[in-house]
Amino acid sequence: MIPIRSWGRLNAGAHHVVPLHDPARVPHELRTHGPGIAYGNGRSYGDECLNPGGVLWHTAGLDRLSHWNPDTGVLTCEAGVLLQDIQRLCAPRGWMLPVTPGTQLVTVGGAIANDVHGKNHHALGSFGDHVLRLWLARSNGDLIECSPTQQSSWFAATVSGMGLTGVIVGAELQLRRVAGPWLDTETIPYGGLDEFFALADGSEAGWEHTVGWIDCLAGSSSSDIRGIFMRANPSVATRGPMPRAAERRMPFTPPVSLVNPLTLRPLNASYYHLQRRRAGQALQHYEPFSYPLDGLLEWNRMYGPHGFYQYQSVVPSHARRDATHAMLREIARSGEGSFLAVLKTFGQRSARGMLSFPRPGTTLALDFPNRDERTLRLFDRLDAIVLEAGGALYPAKDARMPRHVFEAGYPRLHEFLPMRDAGMSSAMSRRLLGS
């Protein structure tokens, strides 16, 4: 048994880890071991990728690119391939993944199982919108090939299915053609939620990528809130700045969280004023714009030995201002706060996945040091705001969502449950689904 943690580092449960290397043998491994859950690069924040006391099928060995068509941009690969590997191989050849999350250090299988989204949902949807087909191994030994038109129910259940329909073995992806790896960007300081929403709405037609950082401790009224709005489009430039040659690493886990009541306010103020001085247009490589935290490996250590929670919600467009303000006011009152606070809007698009998180509305994502009951009580108050607004929480970021909150946020759950594989089980599935 090996102790394994997820990205939030909240606890380390002992697991029986079964490495997967040969796609042809995956059905056999599922029949032989289990119940279990697939584990890729461990970037889920909570307990979705954990199965304490049980089996983890480690997919990192399924890391081969099977076929690449440089004329059409269609890539076939195994589930353990990192998005970073695809980007760095294909971007110099004029192709990129259409949608990626805020880190490219996730596997293809994990991106599908969580139907991840990026800063361009209003333009290109979520990751599942660009999966042409996938191969799913079931614990009974079956191998299912499915797509939006072939075995479509299996496809819809597996995209966003949290790994509970089986183990994704491989996928065929449609990449998008680009002129190069650079983005034309613009950074704009804003004051107040109304100004943020005006920028977000006004940018949708002309900008592919839009996102806001928000200082959640700046003030209690919606007009006091301040932040930095960033937007970008693929550039036609053929030369431009390159990212750092080598990533840095958080070298140790401090005895206490470096994000705490003493440091948070000056950290937020320093970041705001630094970005404000950099306001304006610039040509950027896609990596520092899209994945700013990937430059510091193991940055999750900064939260100390007790780890951290991420709380990411989405609320419908009609409730976005009141609900977002209510959450930020509750956070400011609590004194908890977050440095990594992201606010962005989703487009008017329907997701392919039965349990997909992205939907029309506004999403707010915040990281909180684990301060035990004090932090959990804040989350209960935020849950009430999200529920009243008709919103949902993101399972990929979750470590404590109550079952009733999950059921309220995912109305297609009744369609998904018959598609579950009885041989798939995780700490999250037992918490939210009872098994």
Side-chain angles (χ1 to χ4, degrees):
M1 301 291 277
I2 301 174
I4 300 289
R5 290 183 174 182
S6 62
W7 192 244
R9 304 184 78 249
L10 292 167
N11 49 59
H15 295 76
H16 176 52
V17 178
V18 178
L20 301 179
H21 298 284
D22 182 355
R25 286 190 56 81
V26 172
H28 169 76
E29 296 289 354
L30 301 192
R31 288 197 308 269
T32 305
H33 305 281
I37 197 72
Y39 181 94
N41 204 33
R43 284 303 182 111
S44 295
Y45 282 58
D47 55 1
E48 181 189 58
C49 63
L50 300 179
N51 186 27
V55 172
L56 288 184
W57 290 297
H58 195 195
T59 66
L62 299 174
D63 60 353
R64 288 165 286 271
L65 304 177
S66 308
H67 185 263
W68 161 244
N69 187 325
D71 296 322
T72 64
V74 174
L75 172 70
T76 305
C77 65
E78 295 174 1
V81 171
L82 293 179
L83 304 191
Q84 181 185 73
D85 296 336
I86 296 174
Q87 296 284 77
R88 291 184 175 179
L89 172 69
C90 297
R93 293 164 173 80
W95 295 93
M96 293 182 68
L97 289 163
V99 173
T100 59
T103 172
Q104 57 181 343
L105 299 175
V106 301
T107 64
V108 168
I112 294 171
N114 290 291
D115 194 18
V116 297
H117 59 274
K119 301 173 179 66
N120 59 351
H121 180 266
H122 64 278
L124 293 176
S126 54
F127 196 88
D129 288 309
H130 308 280
V131 178
L132 301 179
R133 55 178 171 162
L134 60 86
W135 291 268
L136 178 71
R138 300 273 289 177
S139 64
N140 63 2
D142 289 347
L143 184 64
I144 298 173
E145 179 181 332
C146 56
S147 73
T149 58
Q150 175 188 353
Q151 302 262 44
S152 58
S153 293
W154 285 113
F155 185 86
T158 301
V159 172
S160 75
M162 303 180 289
L164 297 175
T165 61
V167 172
I168 299 168
V169 177
E172 186 179 77
L173 310 175
Q174 177 63 64
L175 275 58
R176 63 172 307 189
R177 191 179 290 280
V178 294
W182 293 284
L183 299 170
D184 294 316
T185 71
E186 186 171 17
T187 300
I188 306 171
Y190 68 86
L193 283 180
D194 289 339
E195 187 172 348
F196 166 80
F197 287 122
L199 281 168
D201 293 345
S203 300
E204 281 199 1
W207 296 84
E208 180 178 316
H209 302 276
T210 63
V211 66
W213 172 85
I214 189 165
D215 183 351
C216 60
L217 295 179
S220 58
S221 73
S222 61
S223 59
D224 290 336
I225 292 165
R226 65 184 180 184
I228 303 294
F229 188 82
M230 291 158 278
R231 57 192 185 184
N233 278 324
S235 179
V236 297
T238 56
R239 297 182 65 184
M242 297 300 293
R244 291 176 180 268
E247 294 95 348
R248 295 164 292 167
R249 183 180 299 273
M250 183 74 184
F252 65 95
T253 301
V256 297
S257 173
L258 299 182
V259 181
N260 58 60
L262 294 177
T263 64
L264 190 57
R265 199 172 294 275
L267 277 173
N268 279 9
S270 297
Y271 181 81
Y272 173 78
H273 290 295
L274 175 64
Q275 296 303 316
R276 185 171 183 172
R277 287 196 296 271
R278 294 176 175 174
Q281 297 181 347
L283 181 67
Q284 290 190 49
H285 191 274
Y286 73 88
E287 287 195 353
F289 179 86
S290 302
Y291 323 112
L293 290 175
D294 282 358
L296 180 61
L297 300 179
E298 297 185 275
W299 61 262
N300 54 344
R301 290 183 174 185
M302 75 173 66
Y303 289 94
H306 299 295
F308 73 103
Y309 291 91
Q310 182 163 118
Y311 189 96
Q312 183 166 2
S313 62
V314 58
V315 295
S317 300
H318 68 83
R320 64 184 190 176
R321 187 185 185 280
D322 290 345
T324 302
H325 178 218
M327 284 189 282
L328 293 172
R329 185 174 61 236
E330 198 63 59
I331 292 165
R333 287 174 178 171
S334 74
E336 293 293 288
S338 173
F339 174 63
L340 301 174
V342 175
L343 183 64
K344 57 188 173 186
T345 54
F346 287 143
Q348 299 293 318
R349 306 175 66 99
S350 297
R352 284 181 170 178
M354 292 179 183
L355 302 182
S356 291
F357 171 74
R359 64 200 69 186
T362 296
T363 179
L364 175 65
L366 312 109
D367 288 351
F368 295 92
N370 175 22
R371 299 176 70 187
D372 299 320
E373 286 301 316
R374 180 170 179 171
T375 308
L376 296 176
R377 286 195 297 270
L378 169 62
F379 292 162
D380 288 340
R381 297 194 295 273
L382 298 181
D383 287 350
I385 296 168
V386 174
L387 281 178
E388 183 178 0
L393 303 185
Y394 191 14
K397 305 292 183 68
D398 177 60
R400 43 64 58 191
M401 182 191 337
R403 187 169 180 172
H404 73 279
V405 174
F406 176 66
E407 291 173 346
Y410 292 87
R412 297 186 67 186
L413 180 59
H414 68 283
E415 297 178 59
F416 171 80
L417 290 176
M419 315 296 290
R420 268 202 68 179
D421 188 323
M424 302 295 128
S425 182
S426 66
M428 172 174 279
S429 72
R430 294 190 287 276
R431 174 165 56 88
L432 297 180
L433 301 176
S435 63

